[in-house]
Amino acid sequence: MGGMSGELPAYAERVLEVAERIPPGRVMTYGDVAEWLGEGGPRQVGRVMALYGGAVPWWRVVRADGVPLPGHERRALEHYRTEGTPLRETPSGEPRLAMRRARWDGVGEDAGGDEAHI
């Protein structure tokens, strides 16, 4: 991906645009983003987020199981608490995203006007 030009690949731009549209306090899974775009899959979205996601609210694009991004748990949890993202505790007391309440379907709230998709 990429090259030396400094320009983002078109797919990466589309993934990052979706990440920017997710309202505070809500999340989309990697698969949700790919489905919303109608191209790629969870792994491709994850790769884009790993390479370029630092410029967008990366904590809003998550694993389907609600586990915070490994290695970034503390920072992600700070963002979730600040934004009021629904969380739950596992039986062992570890925080997880409450996916049923936190998941955003890309419609309503701050979806960006009448556009259904990018």
Side-chain angles (χ1 to χ4, degrees):
M1 293 184 95
M4 297 289 205
S5 69
E7 291 185 29
L8 286 176
Y11 182 72
E13 284 186 26
R14 289 190 294 277
V15 168
L16 298 178
E17 286 172 6
V18 173
E20 288 178 329
R21 290 173 168 250
I22 302 169
R26 304 299 299 272
V27 298
M28 289 180 93
T29 68
Y30 298 114
D32 291 341
V33 172
E35 184 178 328
W36 202 78
L37 287 171
E39 63 181 309
R43 289 183 183 196
Q44 289 82 5
V45 171
R47 181 80 175 144
V48 168
M49 294 304 294
L51 292 174
Y52 309 109
V56 299
W58 53 266
W59 58 92
R60 297 182 192 153
V61 182
V62 301
R63 294 170 31 163
D65 61 6
V67 175
L69 184 64
H72 301 279
E73 298 94 343
R74 182 173 289 137
R75 286 182 50 218
L77 287 168
E78 288 173 12
H79 287 292
Y80 298 144
R81 289 182 176 122
T82 299
E83 294 183 355
T85 309
L87 298 170
R88 64 178 180 83
E89 278 191 15
T90 64
S92 64
E94 295 179 52
R96 296 283 184 270
L97 288 159
M99 291 302 291
R100 287 186 184 169
R101 293 182 297 144
R103 205 168 192 172
W104 186 58
D105 62 5
V107 185
E109 293 177 46
D110 297 310
D114 294 329
E115 290 182 50
H117 292 83
I118 293 176

